[in-house]
Amino acid sequence: MMDPHFNNNFVPVVADELEQLILQEIARRVRVSAAPQVLDLPAGDGRHAAAMARLGAQVLAADQAGREASVRGRALAEGLADQVDFLACELGGGRLPEGPFDLVFCHHGIHRLPYPEARQVVRALLRSLRIGGKLFISAYGLHSALGEGYADYEQEVEQRFAHLAPAQARCYNIDGPVCLYTERNLVTLLFEAGGSVLRSFTSTHGTVKSVAVRV
């Protein structure tokens, strides 16, 4: 059941540009057709999934099993339990949901994988989309604060996978190695994975973001 404070013609303004784009896409699709099927991976605490469901999407929130209580609890509290489902699944952790989905939201996830593995994951996410479906994806940026003291700063993206400098790791609560991206790196990744990039940009904080379509 949709939140009575929202309707298909109203998209709330949010701080994150990529989330804003997918919310606008959901509202547009709900106005002209059936509720879009959306995959949110990694889903985190379920905040993004709830925001998408409020606008009328049917959302599969996927993340590590320990996130299920948070995701389902948030959906239940907001009256969205019928629109948000949960699947224990991680990027790089085995088989991904096959869909078909109309939209996939992969926010702050692929930088935790080595580039060759990220390419395989993105290829699978694109294949999970219906023809014409869109992938909204972001990764932490090489030219952001995270790049300060990053051991693999000078490496090509295919070999770039290292721990952050201790101060940055503590600040962003990132323990393991990461692959930081430039905007061009992300566009190349999407192209190599079989997607067509509709839009790419770098946020004011240096995070790189793209929207790609399955062709």
Side-chain angles (χ1 to χ4, degrees), residues 67-139:
R67 297 283 194 180
E68 181 171 7
S70 175
V71 172
R72 291 193 184 278
R74 181 185 291 270
L76 182 63
E78 297 192 29
L80 302 167
D82 290 341
Q83 292 175 248
V84 178
D85 200 2
F86 182 86
L87 177 68
C89 175
E90 298 182 52
L91 286 172
R95 191 178 183 123
L96 295 173
E98 295 183 356
F101 301 103
D102 298 294
L103 307 170
V104 172
F105 189 64
C106 184
H107 191 46
H108 290 173
I110 60 165
H111 51 259
R112 296 181 182 271
L113 305 173
Y115 185 87
E117 187 174 352
R119 183 169 49 214
Q120 293 176 355
V121 165
V122 171
R123 182 177 291 116
L125 292 177
L126 287 166
R127 288 176 177 172
S128 76
L129 288 166
R130 292 185 171 93
I131 298 299
K134 294 180 181 178
L135 168 63
F136 296 75
I137 189 167
S138 69

